[in-house]
Amino acid sequence: MRGSSGINAEYGGLCTLTTVVRVVYSIAEDGLIFSFLSAVNKVTQIPIWNVVACTVVGTIGSIVYDFDTLSHMISGGTLSVFVITALAVIILSFDASEGYEQLTTEETPLTAPPQRSKKVLFAGLMSTFMVITTILAVLIAFTPFSTSVIVFEVFLGVSALICLILVRVKIPLKRDETDGSLSFVSPGKPFVQGLSILVNLVLLFHLEVKALKQLAIYCFVGMIIYFGYGIFFSKVTEEKQKILGDDSISLDSQDNSTE
């Protein structure tokens, strides 16, 4: 007779499979991975190939790895997604673009290239914050409590907070964050997201080293798939190419009309 832990593990695996299928479907629909994974069967209205692929990968993983390692890998993947999501919220919420300065002459208006000081500042502050936060998370996860360690951790925490304060003061929020056009806005930017990054990194570093190594390998494989396929076939790339094509056509028509 199976114990309650085994039954809970089975139900947990089924719930995880359902979630993974939905995530993979959304990613494939955006063109970031192979498009056949987003193909929906006309009769069942289910992405059958997606379900089959996720089931096969999940089955192989459950055979190759023991339960503890597999659960730690799943937890590590989830925590990594939380870190990336919180970082993406910060990056997408602040407007680091400088805009273009118009220089008008007597004959034709000229457009000066944008200055990149704000982009460099934003990138530098966020990079510094991530480095400091990662070191702080490692210290919290691995080092024993002592006065010197606590003092250094407080110093790192204050330094990370200063980086976020500078981001909030120096970099303006995007217009749709301030004009009320969005139905939901993540609160407390960038401080809530920065705290989320720290907490999830601490939890991530508490996982098994073996699971983290395997997770790093799979993330590397995912990056290869993205830079080898997704970056060229994503819907965002197609839209950009379409816009550039329309702009080139409009410029050609203007040149022809001028001639």
Side-chain angles (χ1 to χ4, degrees):
M1 186 173 181
R2 293 176 299 176
S4 59
S5 60
I7 296 176
N8 292 334
E10 291 178 1
Y11 282 118
L14 291 174
C15 293
T16 302
L17 179 61
T18 304
T19 304
V20 169
V21 169
R22 293 177 64 88
V23 171
V24 172
Y25 171 80
S26 299
I27 296 174
E29 195 175 29
D30 289 337
L32 296 175
I33 56 176
F34 310 112
S35 58
F36 75 90
L37 294 174
S38 64
V40 178
N41 185 274
K42 295 181 179 179
V43 178
T44 61
Q45 296 298 308
I46 294 174
I48 294 179
W49 287 112
N50 186 351
V51 175
V52 170
C54 293
T55 304
V56 170
V57 173
T59 303
I60 294 174
S62 62
I63 294 173
V64 173
Y65 301 105
D66 59 88
F67 178 77
D68 290 336
T69 302
L70 191 61
S71 62
H72 277 232
M73 288 175 60
I74 294 173
S75 300
T78 305
L79 293 171
S80 301
V81 169
F82 290 161
V83 171
I84 295 172
T85 301
L87 182 61
V89 169
I90 297 176
I91 294 174
L92 296 176
S93 298
F94 289 89
D95 187 5
S97 61
E98 294 285 350
Y100 286 81
E101 180 184 359
Q102 297 294 330
L103 301 177
T104 305
T105 62
E106 296 180 357
E107 298 180 354
T108 57
L110 300 176
T111 303
Q115 299 178 354
R116 299 191 178 275
S117 58
K118 194 180 295 184
K119 288 185 178 180
V120 172
L121 175 63
F122 184 63
L125 288 173
M126 290 309 303
S127 299
T128 305
F129 167 77
M130 288 303 301
V131 171
I132 294 175
T133 305
T134 302
I135 297 174
L136 179 58
V138 171
L139 291 176
I140 295 175
F142 294 110
T143 57
F145 287 101
S146 65
T147 304
S148 59
V149 172
I150 292 176
V151 170
F152 187 54
E153 290 175 352
V154 171
F155 170 75
L156 292 177
V158 172
S159 301
L161 181 61
I162 290 175
C163 290
L164 295 180
I165 292 175
L166 290 175
V167 168
R168 189 65 180 88
V169 173
K170 296 293 185 180
I171 311 297
L173 286 169
K174 290 186 176 180
R175 288 184 179 179
D176 53 10
E177 296 279 343
T178 57
D179 61 6
S181 61
L182 297 178
S183 59
F184 173 78
V185 177
S186 180
K189 286 186 289 288
F191 307 106
V192 173
Q193 292 73 26
L195 180 62
S196 174
I197 291 173
L198 175 61
V199 172
N200 284 289
L201 284 177
V202 172
L203 295 175
L204 184 64
F205 291 138
H206 272 98
L207 300 177
E208 291 181 354
V209 177
K210 178 182 176 181
L212 293 178
K213 290 180 179 179
Q214 296 293 336
L215 178 63
I217 294 173
Y218 293 138
C219 289
F220 179 72
V221 174
M223 295 297 287
I224 292 176
I225 294 175
Y226 171 72
F227 285 106
Y229 179 88
I231 198 171
F232 300 106
F233 297 98
S234 66
K235 288 186 177 180
V236 174
T237 302
E238 293 178 355
E239 291 176 358
K240 287 183 178 180
Q241 292 176 348
K242 183 179 179 181
I243 293 173
L244 292 175
D246 294 341
D247 291 341
S248 62
I249 293 174
S250 62
L251 289 174
D252 292 339
S253 61
Q254 290 178 0
D255 294 338
N256 295 330
S257 62
T258 303
E259 292 177 358

